[in-house]
């Protein structure tokens, strides 16, 4: 049984900027509109609602979308709707109709639906997506064969405004696929649109790793920026799913390590600090919310654990201050998250404090937590922020 994990998922949904409103009609981009969410998203997703209400339907619009992408002046990010987020590769695989390696070919057009806007006094796009051909080179799951040409549905469109400026409007965390690049794709078929969405959007498309990415994957030092998603997006579980996908699909079979051995090696790396003199009041002064990782190491020492948090898009640093010199908080599975409170250890006294630090891409601590045992014997949670805000609350033991 997994130990209870306290996972905070921060999903910033960026609202589509009107920017004066899109141009009426179809400019040289050939289409427009908020792309509908992938098929695992509810039909209540914003794109689907808009499409259902649209009185106009431009339909399939041919055009060389890839040429237009070179002229984009602005990328506009729409809300992602209620797209599902998968916690593990196993869930992504189960949701996939096809798992293939395929080469991206040209975009063959866009599908656009429109609605009449009272504000602008004209038809404006309400939903849409781009269709791109892909050529299968290897099949891992499903009824396809090498050499087959399939249609990949991408959740973006290119729109030319009346002033001539070109917008790429997207609901996806992924930039458009690059023609000629080979991807590992986890796909779900969408009959109505005659193509395939990637499962979980950013969790269903990975480039074949370069030498640099392979080295980082082997060392478990990848960052979100290494994996071809928009760098400002929050991408929960991206690194977790990617590491598992790398191990299963990209690693040399001769170098693959059984999960039991991976778990043993992971637990061998767990570090703990036995400092009987450490107090909660002292920890409050040492934990550098707003400081840097370098500050943390200087103040708290170098015996810390650092891994990607499965529900976060960057690393989590965890210090375990133990009450028993022989005690270490070990993972019970490879799916166990580093951002996990050791309730049993804290309440028994074997663990005295757990400190969780969340650094950003510049190695600045943007959020810090201290888990400790309260006077009533229950686990408490001290949240600390760079502006000096502190919350102290009981979280109990689920």
């Amino acid at each position: 049984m997994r130990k209870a994990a306290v996972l905070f998922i921060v999903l910033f949904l960026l609202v589509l900027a009107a920017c004066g409103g899109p141009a009426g009609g179809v400019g040289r981009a050939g289409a427009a509109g908020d792309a509908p969410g992938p098929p695992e998203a509810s039909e209540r997703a914003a794109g689907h609602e808009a499409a259902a209400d649209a009185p106009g339907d431009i339909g399939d619009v041919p055009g060389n979308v890839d040429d237009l992408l070179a002229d984009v002046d602005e990328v506009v990010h729409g809300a992602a709707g209620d797209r599902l987020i998968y916690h593990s590769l196993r869930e992504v695989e189960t949701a996939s109709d096809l798992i293939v390696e395929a080469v991206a070919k040209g975009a063959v057009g866009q599908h656009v639906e429109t609605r009449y806007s009272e504000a602008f006094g004209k038809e404006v796009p309400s939903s849409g997506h781009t269709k791109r051909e892909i050529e299968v080179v290897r099949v891992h799951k499903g009824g396809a064969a090498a050499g087959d040409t399939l249609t990949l549905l991408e959740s973006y469109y290119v729109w030319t405004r009346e002033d001539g400026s070109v917008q790429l409007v997207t609901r996806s965390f992924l930039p458009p696929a690059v023609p000629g690049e080979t991807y590992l794709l986890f796909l779900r078929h969408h009959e109505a649109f005659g193509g395939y969405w990637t499962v979980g959007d950013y969790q269903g498309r990975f480039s074949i790793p370069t030498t640099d990415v392979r080295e980082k994957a082997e060392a478990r030092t990848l960052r979100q920026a290494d994996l071809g998603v928009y760098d400002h997006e929050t991408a929960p579980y991206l690194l977790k799913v990617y590491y598992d996908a790398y191990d299963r699909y990209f690693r040399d079979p001769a170098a693959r390590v059984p999960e039991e051995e991976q778990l043993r090696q992971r637990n061998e790396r767990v570090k703990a600090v036995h400092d009987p003199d450490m107090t909660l009041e002292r920890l409050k002064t040492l934990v550098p919310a707003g400081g840097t990782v370098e500050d943390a190491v200087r103040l708290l020492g170098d015996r810390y654990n650092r891994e990607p948090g499965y529900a976060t898009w960057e690393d989590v640093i965890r210090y375990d201050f133990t009450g028993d010199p022989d005690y270490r908080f070990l993972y019970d599975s490879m799916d166990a998250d580093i951002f996990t409170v050791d309730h049993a250890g804290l309440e028994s006294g074997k663990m005295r404090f757990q400190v969780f630090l969340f650094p950003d891409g510049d190695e600045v601590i943007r959020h810090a937590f201290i888990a400790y045992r309260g006077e009533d014997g229950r686990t408490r949670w001290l949240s600390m922020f760079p502006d000096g805000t502190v919350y102290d609350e009981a979280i109990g033991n689920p």
Side-chain angles (χ1 to χ4, degrees):
M1 178 68 72
R2 276 186 69 170
K3 297 180 177 69
V6 180
L7 303 176
F8 285 80
I9 302 176
V10 183
L11 259 152
F12 301 112
L13 298 179
L14 303 177
V15 179
L16 178 61
C19 300
V26 178
R28 63 192 177 94
D34 285 353
E40 69 268 25
S42 163
E43 292 300 315
R44 297 189 306 275
H48 291 285
E49 282 184 350
D53 295 338
D57 184 356
I58 299 174
D60 290 322
V61 182
N64 194 331
V65 182
D66 293 319
D67 284 350
L68 298 170
L69 289 172
D71 296 326
V72 167
D73 300 301
E74 179 185 20
V75 178
V76 179
H77 298 269
D82 55 359
R83 175 185 299 124
L84 291 182
I85 296 171
Y86 295 89
H87 298 75
S88 68
L89 175 65
R90 187 175 294 108
E91 292 180 0
V92 174
E93 291 172 325
T94 299
S96 301
D97 297 320
L98 290 178
I99 302 174
V100 299
E101 292 174 35
V103 179
K105 301 296 185 180
V108 295
Q110 301 180 92
H111 179 88
V112 181
E113 301 193 24
T114 65
R115 61 178 174 80
Y116 183 79
S117 168
E118 295 288 348
F120 296 112
K122 58 188 174 185
E123 292 285 318
V124 297
S126 59
S127 67
H129 58 268
T130 292
K131 294 186 174 184
R132 180 178 301 280
E133 289 188 341
I134 56 173
E135 182 179 338
V136 176
V137 295
R138 186 177 181 184
V139 179
H140 297 283
K141 175 185 175 180
D148 286 353
T149 298
L150 306 176
T151 299
L152 178 67
L153 304 172
E154 297 185 272
S155 297
Y156 75 88
Y157 66 92
V158 184
W159 177 256
T160 302
R161 294 165 54 85
E162 288 177 342
D163 63 4
S165 62
V166 181
Q167 293 179 326
L168 186 154
V169 184
T170 180
R171 284 183 179 276
S172 177
F173 289 6
L174 295 167
V178 177
E181 185 161 347
T182 303
Y183 297 93
L184 172 65
L185 298 166
F186 299 85
L187 302 172
R188 176 176 286 181
H189 188 248
H190 193 291
E191 184 174 356
F193 291 148
Y196 293 86
W197 298 107
T198 56
V199 172
D201 184 54
Y202 63 88
Q203 296 179 311
R205 192 192 87 183
F206 301 116
S207 298
I208 303 301
T210 61
T211 299
D212 179 61
V213 169
R214 285 184 181 277
E215 290 175 351
K216 291 180 179 179
E218 292 288 345
R220 293 308 200 244
T221 59
L222 283 167
R223 296 292 181 269
Q224 177 173 312
D226 297 315
L227 297 180
V229 298
Y230 285 114
D231 58 11
H232 66 277
E233 298 282 13
T234 62
Y237 300 95
L238 169 63
L239 292 176
K240 163 61 178 167
V241 171
Y242 183 80
Y243 282 138
D244 289 348
Y246 175 83
D247 291 342
R248 184 183 297 269
Y249 296 99
F250 296 141
R251 178 178 272 176
D252 181 348
R256 291 176 183 168
V257 179
E259 188 167 298
E260 296 79 5
E261 177 60 17
Q262 292 181 51
L263 180 61
R264 187 191 68 78
Q265 293 178 8
R266 187 184 186 197
N267 280 326
E268 279 190 347
R269 296 192 295 269
V270 171
K271 297 177 182 178
V273 181
H274 182 61
D275 183 355
D277 297 325
M278 180 61 71
T279 65
L280 181 61
E281 292 305 315
R282 183 179 171 211
L283 264 183
K284 289 179 184 179
T285 66
L286 294 178
V287 173
T292 66
V293 171
E294 184 178 357
D295 294 332
V297 173
R298 176 172 52 82
L299 295 169
L300 298 173
D302 61 2
R303 293 192 61 77
Y304 60 86
N305 306 286
R306 181 169 184 165
E307 295 180 3
Y310 294 163
T312 64
W313 58 99
E314 294 290 350
D315 281 3
V316 176
I317 294 173
R318 191 187 79 218
Y319 282 88
D320 291 343
F321 289 87
T322 64
D324 180 338
D326 298 321
Y327 181 74
R328 288 189 305 155
F329 177 49
L330 303 179
Y331 301 105
D332 59 4
S333 77
M334 288 302 294
D335 286 336
D337 197 302
I338 187 173
F339 187 21
T340 301
V341 176
D342 182 13
H343 290 281
L346 288 165
E347 295 179 9
S348 70
K350 291 182 178 180
M351 180 74 71
R352 297 190 64 227
F353 309 105
Q354 285 183 294
V355 176
F356 299 91
L357 306 176
F358 291 79
D360 62 18
D362 295 322
E363 294 289 272
V364 174
I365 308 299
R366 56 184 171 78
H367 200 173
F369 298 99
I370 302 174
Y372 69 98
R373 178 184 176 181
E375 293 182 358
D376 61 358
R378 300 182 64 200
T379 307
R380 297 191 65 85
W381 191 245
L382 192 71
S383 306
M384 307 173 69
F385 298 86
D387 65 359
T389 302
V390 176
Y391 298 101
D392 190 347
E393 57 189 337
I395 58 174
N397 185 348

